[in-house]
């Protein structure tokens, strides 16, 4: 059979179609967002265990977390398909292009939600399963269906769902929660607006066209930048307070101080530029967006390393 044989093309077509369909389903889960969420899970597990947990527990928690986040993101894509169609940034999502029908997407989301809940219950514990299910409901219902289209503070309260992997990671190890887990939850809670609002500033026109009241759509950029600075300071303060709550060692403290100073410097730069009425090329909000991802990655790397090479800051 040669490469030009029509039968070869016909037989290859179903396989290519299956791959395309699988890729479309995968796209519904927003894999890049899942990666960012899981970055915070493993370090918290190290801290809760005061060392390295079993490899199986780590894998089980990551699989459950990926299924849970995938379910929440899928429900978001199904419900927001009308908005996504209006925004250039999201116009190629499977629900918009028609690669996945609303019914298929809804069924897929339900399957992932059930699978993640059962997975956590069987392979970790019921607390992690409950937190996972709660995160799905918070994001799919609380943020997507209730807050996103109604308030400029949508990402603040809806973003709490993105903090849940911290609690899930801790509970998977300890089968309980603690103030240390709550402090790390708050770090991500306060980090979310400075992470997301710069992106919203960049794509302000997209959100306006879709009638989504993101803060940069309904307020001047200087107001947005001022709130970014406020949340950034709250985030850094909470990250440093963890040293006294847990307590943490010098490795984490040094990491939190250095990355926190850099984050605040970038947030204040954005505020100064907005206050001076800078043009978009000078404002460059995506600088803070991209650095915010680097920040959370490095900070939580410090969370993971600190219990492995513990150098106490406070003697007790």
């Amino acid at each position: 059979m040669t490469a030009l044989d029509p039968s070869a093309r016909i037989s290859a077509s179903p396989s290519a179609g299956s791959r395309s369909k699988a890729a479309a389903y995968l796209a519904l889960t927003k894999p890049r967002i899942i990666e960012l969420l899981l970055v915070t899970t493993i370090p918290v597990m190290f801290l809760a265990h005061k060392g390295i947990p079993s490899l199986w527990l780590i894998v089980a928690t990551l699989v459950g977390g990926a299924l849970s986040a995938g379910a929440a993101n899928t429900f978001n894509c199904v419900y927001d398909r009308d908005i996504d169609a209006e925004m250039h940034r999201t116009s190629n999502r499977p629900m918009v292009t028609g690669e996945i029908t609303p019914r298929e997407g809804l069924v897929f989301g339900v399957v992932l939600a059930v699978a993640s809940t059962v997975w956590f219950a069987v392979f970790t514990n019921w607390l992690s399963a409950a937190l996972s299910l709660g995160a799905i409901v918070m994001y799919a219902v609380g943020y997507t269906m209730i807050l996103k289209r109604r308030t400029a503070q949508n990402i603040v309260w809806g973003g709490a769902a993105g903090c849940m992997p911290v609690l899930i990671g801790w509970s998977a190890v300890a089968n309980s929660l603690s103030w240390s887990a709550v402090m790390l939850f708050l770090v991500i809670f306060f980090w979310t607006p400075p992470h997301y609002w710069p992106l919203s500033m960049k794509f302000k026109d997209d959100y306006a066209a879709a009638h989504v009241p993101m803060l940069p759509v309904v307020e001047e950029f200087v107001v947005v930048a001022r709130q970014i600075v406020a949340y950034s300071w709250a985030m850094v303060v909470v990250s440093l307070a963890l040293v006294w709550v847990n307590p943490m060692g010098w490795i984490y403290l040094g990491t939190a101080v250095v990355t926190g100073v850099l984050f605040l410097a970038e947030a204040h730069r954005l505020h100064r530029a907005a206050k001076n009425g800078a043009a978009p090329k000078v404002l460059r909000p995506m600088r803070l967006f991209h650095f915010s991802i680097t920040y959370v990655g490095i900070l939580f790397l410090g969370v993971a390393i600190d219990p492995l090479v513990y150098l106490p800051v406070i003697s007790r």
Side-chain angles (χ1 to χ4, degrees):
M1 183 183 296
T2 66
L4 298 179
D5 188 342
S7 65
R9 294 196 296 271
I10 294 173
S11 64
S13 179
S15 176
S18 298
R19 287 197 298 270
S20 176
K21 195 76 167 181
Y25 275 114
L26 180 63
L28 285 180
T29 67
K30 304 180 185 178
R32 294 188 66 181
I33 295 179
I34 292 177
E35 292 174 9
L36 184 59
L37 294 175
L38 296 183
V39 160
T40 62
T41 303
I42 297 178
V44 172
M45 295 179 72
F46 279 41
L47 184 61
H49 193 268
K50 298 297 183 183
I52 304 176
S54 72
L55 179 60
W56 165 245
L57 182 59
I58 293 174
V59 171
T61 305
L62 292 182
V63 170
L67 292 171
S68 177
N73 290 331
T74 297
F75 290 134
N76 174 266
C77 285
V78 172
Y79 190 80
D80 277 353
R81 60 189 184 277
D82 59 330
I83 291 176
D84 289 342
E86 298 293 331
M87 299 175 61
H88 177 72
R89 183 173 64 90
T90 56
S91 60
N92 63 342
R93 286 179 175 172
M95 294 299 305
V96 178
T97 61
E99 295 172 272
I100 304 292
T101 67
R103 182 178 183 277
E104 290 173 332
L106 185 60
V107 170
F108 182 57
V110 170
V111 169
L112 290 179
V114 172
S116 64
T117 305
V118 172
W119 179 276
F120 272 121
V122 173
F123 296 112
T124 56
N125 52 62
W126 280 103
L127 177 57
S128 297
L131 291 170
S132 169
L133 183 59
I136 295 172
V137 173
M138 287 172 63
Y139 188 74
V141 179
Y143 170 67
T144 302
M145 297 179 67
I146 298 176
L147 295 171
K148 185 173 182 177
R149 306 180 190 219
R150 290 177 172 84
T151 172
Q153 294 296 313
N154 47 24
I155 198 62
V156 176
W157 303 107
C163 312
M164 295 300 283
V166 171
L167 302 184
I168 292 170
W170 189 282
S171 66
V173 173
N175 197 18
S176 64
L177 295 176
S178 72
W179 283 110
S180 299
V182 172
M183 297 299 287
L184 289 167
F185 176 97
L186 290 175
V187 169
I188 301 299
F189 178 82
F190 289 124
W191 167 86
T192 301
H195 165 68
Y196 201 86
W197 279 337
L199 181 70
S200 304
M201 294 169 78
K202 170 71 173 179
F203 295 101
K204 172 186 174 181
D205 293 341
D206 265 5
Y207 285 109
H211 306 290
V212 178
M214 301 302 295
L215 189 63
V217 174
V218 301
E219 295 284 359
E220 295 182 354
F221 279 179
V222 65
V223 176
V224 180
R226 189 181 305 126
Q227 293 203 30
I228 286 174
V229 167
Y231 277 101
S232 299
W233 271 100
M235 174 194 71
V236 172
V237 168
V238 172
S239 72
L240 295 176
L242 179 64
V243 175
W244 285 267
V245 172
N246 193 67
M248 306 296 287
W250 282 106
I251 291 177
Y252 171 79
L253 178 59
T255 302
V257 168
V258 172
T259 56
V261 167
L262 292 174
F263 198 109
L264 290 173
E266 188 59 35
H268 279 280
R269 180 206 66 80
L270 180 64
H271 180 249
R272 285 195 302 271
K275 190 175 181 180
N276 294 331
K281 289 185 178 179
V282 178
L283 196 63
R284 290 181 290 176
M286 293 299 284
R287 269 184 47 169
L288 180 56
F289 171 78
H290 290 302
F291 180 73
S292 68
I293 298 173
T294 302
Y295 168 84
V296 80
I298 295 176
L299 182 72
F300 276 79
L301 180 62
V303 172
I305 295 176
D306 197 82
L308 303 180
V309 189
Y310 183 59
L311 304 171
V313 174
I314 303 173
S315 300
R316 292 189 176 182

